[in-house]
Amino acid sequence: MMRLPRFQYYTPRDMTEATQILADEGSDAMVIAGGTDLIPNMKRKQQTPKTLVALRHIESLGQIKNGSDLSLGAGLTLSDLVQNDKVKAEYTGLWQAAIQVATPHLRNMGTLGGNICLDTRCSYYDQNAEWRKAIDYCMKKDGEICWVSTGSKRCLATSSTDTAPALISLGAKVRLSSAKDEREVLLLDLYQDDGMDYLLRRPGEIVAEVILPQAAHWRSTYWKLRRRGSFDFPVLSVAAAAALTPDGSIEQARIVLGAVSSQPLVCEKVDEFLAGKKLTDEVIEEASLLCGKAARPVKNTDFAPAWRKRAIVRIATYALRELRGDNMSEQRRSIARHVF
Ligand SMILES: Cc1cc2nc3c(=O)[nH]c(=O)nc-3n(C[C@H](O)[C@H](O)[C@H](O)COP(=O)(O)OP(=O)(O)OC[C@H]3O[C@@H](n4cnc5c(N)ncnc54)[C@H](O)[C@@H]3O)c2cc1C
Ligand code: SF4
């Protein structure tokens, strides 16, 4: 049986208290929201904080504010998002991403903030402590070498959050709070392509809020491939969002790939290619091939990298067809069974 190590547990009631505890405790402390990722990681000794600061009693983190933008508290559970009619109707890609995370039980506990800050994943890392000890660990925790690419100077673990690609495609910002100050950044700018240091979060910062711009004229969609169709982390995903003119031309598009790099991968070339065009079959084919070219999956998750690279083209085609308004329910079912 894997047991949790001992740790101190704080239950602040507001953000001032929470950020102050984090500032006082320093780098030995981590925040915990739903705990659905952090607790298993602590049992496997991948993450070893001496202090946990729980966010679940902070009321402001559970709020939704619907003004000119839509503001989602980072403490909302994924089930809260799935049950929200506005999210479903106007930010469909986010809704589709949230409903495909894990299982209903985990979505009842797992939060938006926890999903955004989710640890990166790798087949050599997502193992118990004994397994990892047997291979002398790896660079991400306790070791020196990267087993995915022994010559690599950095960890290549994969960003596996479902909601981040969808949120980035929708132009989301995040508000970060610390004991010192508050700042707002594009969610995209929270990530960097490094499997160990994947978040550009300053020490002591808590993600307080996710802010989505108005969705007028925008359509969005999220497609995910995973080993088990019922529930699993993504091995690749495509988030696509576009602002359309009344005649169906694309004013602006944002295509973001998930689980093929240590950060959500923005496909700028595809966005440029799509601007001003209508989603004809030919345009969709060309754009999907460009998505395949952009992604460079490595051998650190389920399915061979070459197969995942080919599969991206197909999944991107499905995403763009759904954006166009095609009924893709059959393809969604076939993906769950992996019929390619
Ligand atoms: C069996 C299983 C299947 C899963 N499948 C998926 C899946 O398909 N897709 C997917 O995306 N995830 C999946 N997960 C992972 C996890 O359940 C979700 O990502 C969930 O949303 C994490 O949220 P949480 O609140 O539980 O995060 P926690 O475990 O509490 O925290 C995760 C990380 O985020 C940090 N954190 C949490 N909240 C904040 C905040 N507000 N500000 C700053 N840092 C914060 C924590 O310090 C920690 O580093 C799965 C987990 C399990 C156990
Ligand atoms: S990519 Fe390399 S360093 Fe990173 S977790 Fe995997 S084996 Fe470890």
Side-chain angles (χ1 to χ4, degrees):
M1 180 194 282
M2 288 191 290
R3 291 187 188 281
L4 271 174
R6 296 186 81 80
F7 55 89
Q8 281 199 85
Y9 189 72
Y10 288 94
T11 56
R13 299 281 149 172
D14 58 39
M15 285 296 277
T16 312
E17 201 188 338
T19 50
Q20 195 53 56
I21 297 170
L22 273 184
D24 294 345
E25 296 288 325
S27 59
D28 278 343
M30 284 181 81
V31 297
I32 180 164
T36 59
D37 194 61
L38 184 53
I39 294 290
N41 284 2
M42 287 172 68
K43 287 185 173 181
R44 291 190 293 248
K45 301 189 177 64
Q46 292 159 311
Q47 288 173 311
T48 48
K50 299 212 165 43
T51 301
L52 290 183
V53 182
L55 302 180
R56 64 161 55 190
H57 302 288
I58 303 177
E59 223 180 286
S60 62
L61 292 181
Q63 287 174 355
I64 299 185
K65 288 181 227 146
N66 190 0
S68 54
D69 298 329
L70 179 68
S71 145
L72 302 168
L76 288 165
T77 65
L78 297 165
S79 295
D80 290 332
L81 294 187
V82 168
Q83 282 151 21
N84 187 283
D85 291 337
K86 188 174 172 80
V87 171
K88 186 173 182 182
E90 294 178 29
Y91 303 93
T92 311
L94 172 60
W95 185 86
Q96 288 169 335
I99 202 168
Q100 291 184 77
V101 173
T103 62
H105 296 87
L106 288 159
R107 291 196 293 273
N108 287 344
M109 288 298 291
T111 63
L112 181 60
N115 196 247
I116 288 173
C117 298
L118 184 69
D119 194 11
T120 51
R121 295 180 59 79
C122 171
S123 333
Y124 294 91
Y125 172 71
D126 295 305
Q127 307 288 347
N128 64 36
E130 290 69 32
W131 193 102
R132 290 185 293 113
K133 187 176 175 194
I135 60 161
D136 206 13
Y137 303 100
C138 76
M139 196 193 284
K140 185 158 160 79
K141 179 81 176 107
D142 299 327
E144 313 252 300
I145 201 166
C146 170
W147 293 111
V148 169
S149 171
T150 48
S152 180
K153 295 251 182 309
R154 73 164 180 93
C155 163
L156 304 165
T158 306
S159 165
S160 303
T161 147
D162 278 307
T163 61
L167 286 165
I168 291 171
S169 75
L170 289 161
K173 288 188 207 153
V174 281
R175 186 164 58 79
L176 297 147
S177 297
S178 72
K180 272 202 235 140
D181 56 14
E182 273 200 347
R183 62 184 179 121
E184 242 178 57
V185 294
L186 279 174
L187 177 58
L188 172 65
D189 295 337
L190 193 63
Y191 299 103
Q192 63 178 349
D193 200 14
D194 183 325
M196 287 160 72
D197 229 351
Y198 56 97
L199 284 181
L200 290 168
R201 195 160 56 99
R202 295 177 189 152
E205 275 185 336
I206 296 176
V207 178
E209 187 180 29
V210 175
I211 303 151
L212 283 161
Q214 268 191 7
H217 315 307
W218 281 80
R219 281 192 204 160
S220 59
T221 178
Y222 180 77
W223 285 71
K224 159 178 181 175
L225 188 70
R226 46 191 160 178
R227 166 67 78 175
R228 292 167 294 190
S230 54
F231 81 97
D232 223 330
F233 286 91
V235 290
L236 70 89
S237 67
V238 177
L244 298 167
T245 59
D247 76 344
S249 303
I250 293 182
E251 227 169 66
Q252 191 187 349
R254 287 195 210 102
I255 314 295
V256 186
L257 306 181
V260 288
S261 145
S262 297
Q263 65 184 146
L265 192 69
V266 176
C267 297
E268 275 164 12
K269 287 204 171 130
V270 189
D271 302 352
E272 280 163 23
F273 169 76
L274 286 172
K277 298 197 171 69
K278 287 192 180 171
L279 286 170
T280 60
D281 286 347
E282 294 72 29
V283 166
I284 289 178
E285 192 185 332
E286 186 65 34
S288 304
L289 285 171
L290 287 174
C291 287
K293 279 191 191 148
R296 288 194 172 73
V298 291
K299 201 171 176 336
N300 59 357
T301 184
D302 225 344
F303 297 128
W307 186 86
R308 280 160 70 211
K309 198 168 165 63
R310 283 200 306 277
I312 286 166
V313 177
R314 179 79 67 91
I315 305 280
T317 307
Y318 294 163
L320 292 170
R321 283 185 55 198
E322 193 168 69
L323 211 55
R324 176 170 73 181
D326 294 9
N327 179 353
M328 302 300 289
S329 41
E330 196 168 309
Q331 285 79 359
R332 283 216 180 259
R333 277 197 298 277
S334 80
I335 281 215
R337 293 198 302 272
H338 304 142
V339 182
F340 273 90

